[in-house]
Amino acid sequence: QVQLVESGGGSVQAGGSLKLSCAASGYISRSCGMGWYRQAPGKEREQVSRVDSDGTTTYANSVKGRFTISRDNGKNTLYLQMNSLKTEDTAVYYCAAICIVKNYWGQGTQVTVSS
């Protein structure tokens, strides 16, 4: 059974940094993409960043140049380094494994950025 557990969220002032981690357990095919999504109050969930099985990374325009996604297959861990945080980055951040057969989601971690 696949489980994704996020950590590293918290409260930070604008301009600060946080690093999110997502520890995966269970079998996740290396053909799966891994990604970070977020959902702010009253808004739909959106993709923040994704890394595909071939290492290709994509970022939402709103986070380009500020966030960096990385994947450590040996540790079964996905990371999101978030720098220059803005108040609009406040949201619950979810880790996901995007696979052909199905997708898997973590429970989310809250990130709050204050001005």
Side-chain angles (χ1 to χ4, degrees):
Q1 182 175 354
V2 173
Q3 283 193 321
L4 302 175
V5 180
E6 302 96 335
S7 61
S11 297
V12 65
Q13 287 193 323
S17 298
L18 284 173
K19 185 174 184 177
L20 304 183
S21 299
C22 172
S25 61
Y27 175 74
I28 299 178
S29 170
R30 298 214 170 172
S31 65
C32 297
M34 298 289 295
W36 289 97
Y37 295 73
R38 68 186 180 187
Q39 187 165 19
K43 295 187 177 181
E44 294 190 354
R45 189 173 299 188
E46 63 173 351
Q47 180 176 292
V48 175
S49 182
R50 171 176 171 154
V51 54
D52 291 328
S53 57
D54 63 358
T56 302
T57 57
T58 56
Y59 296 91
N61 287 334
S62 59
V63 307
K64 279 181 181 177
R66 301 188 297 121
F67 291 11
T68 303
I69 192 171
S70 59
R71 179 178 183 176
D72 187 334
N73 289 328
K75 294 183 178 180
N76 288 335
T77 303
L78 181 73
Y79 303 97
L80 185 69
Q81 177 67 47
M82 305 186 294
N83 298 328
S84 302
L85 282 161
K86 304 176 180 180
T87 55
E88 52 263 45
D89 294 318
T90 295
V92 177
Y93 283 70
Y94 298 90
C95 170
I98 310 300
C99 308
I100 296 174
V101 177
K102 68 178 292 186
N103 299 333
Y104 302 91
W105 294 89
Q107 81 289 350
T109 186
Q110 176 71 46
V111 171
T112 302
V113 184
S114 59
S115 59

